Amino acid sequence: MSLRYHIFQTALMTALVFMAVPAAAEDVLLTLTGAVTDGRVEMTRADFDTMDWHEFSTSTSVTDGRPEFRGVLMRDVLAHAGAEGSSVRATALNDYVVDIPVEDFHRFDVLAALYMDDVPLTPRDKGPVWIVYPRDNHGVLADIRYDMRWVWQLVALHVQ
């Protein structure tokens, strides 16, 4: 086999391992910019661990059954960052971008989920952070406009 093949194979294996491993405490999971403290806040796993955790089961449009999600409330994430704005532009690893009214996070107990069914979310399976609405607790959340706001592989929020 060629050297090029070995380099490619090693790089691929490294990428796959990285994508399947849960984040370490010091890894930045989420970056908030815009109307936040000093214009930029980077949240690590350790930051999430200092916050109150919540969990609920709910159906989704992309999973079977009613998985149980665990994480911190999105409104607590914004408070942690000193956010002052009426909407956030959520960006995922796959470059998906959607604007979400901050009102959603105060009206509903929306999670920044880091676990699904007690398994840490990784970039390979909708992590490291997935915005999860308590869909089964509020009939209005079955509307497709809310489905668009379930951002998996969330890595950035721009508060505006």
Side-chain angles (χ1 to χ4, degrees):
M1 291 184 216
S2 72
L3 177 60
R4 177 182 272 172
Y5 175 79
H6 284 293
I7 291 171
F8 171 77
Q9 188 176 29
T10 301
L12 178 62
M13 293 304 294
T14 301
L16 291 174
V17 167
F18 172 75
M19 292 181 75
V21 174
E26 67 278 0
D27 292 343
V28 174
L29 299 182
L30 184 63
T31 301
L32 293 95
T33 57
V36 297
T37 302
D38 297 327
R40 182 180 182 91
V41 174
E42 293 181 338
M43 292 186 65
T44 64
R45 173 56 198 253
D47 293 320
F48 281 93
D49 286 341
T50 65
M51 303 169 77
D52 290 335
W53 284 65
H54 300 264
E55 60 187 40
F56 57 77
S57 293
T58 192
S59 63
T60 82
S61 62
V62 295
T63 61
D64 294 327
R66 298 181 70 224
E68 183 162 314
F69 295 95
R70 186 164 34 111
V72 300
L73 296 175
M74 284 295 293
R75 62 178 168 261
D76 291 345
V77 168
L78 295 179
H80 176 86
E84 295 180 10
S86 60
S87 70
V88 296
R89 175 159 290 168
T91 303
L93 281 172
N94 64 1
D95 295 328
Y96 177 76
V97 176
V98 66
D99 291 331
I100 304 172
V102 168
E103 178 188 344
D104 280 12
F105 307 143
H106 294 284
R107 186 172 172 204
F108 309 108
D109 289 339
V110 180
L111 283 182
L114 281 80
Y115 289 85
M116 183 173 73
D117 292 333
D118 291 326
V119 176
L121 294 170
T122 67
R124 193 174 199 172
D125 61 3
K126 300 178 177 50
V129 181
W130 187 2
I131 295 176
V132 175
Y133 283 75
R135 165 190 256 188
D136 294 345
N137 295 343
H138 306 277
V140 68
L141 295 178
D143 186 286
I144 192 167
R145 75 186 139 128
Y146 290 102
D147 285 347
M148 305 299 284
R149 300 174 186 170
W150 288 57
V151 181
W152 60 69
Q153 296 181 323
L154 177 71
V155 291
L157 294 171
H158 183 75
V159 181
Q160 40 202 351

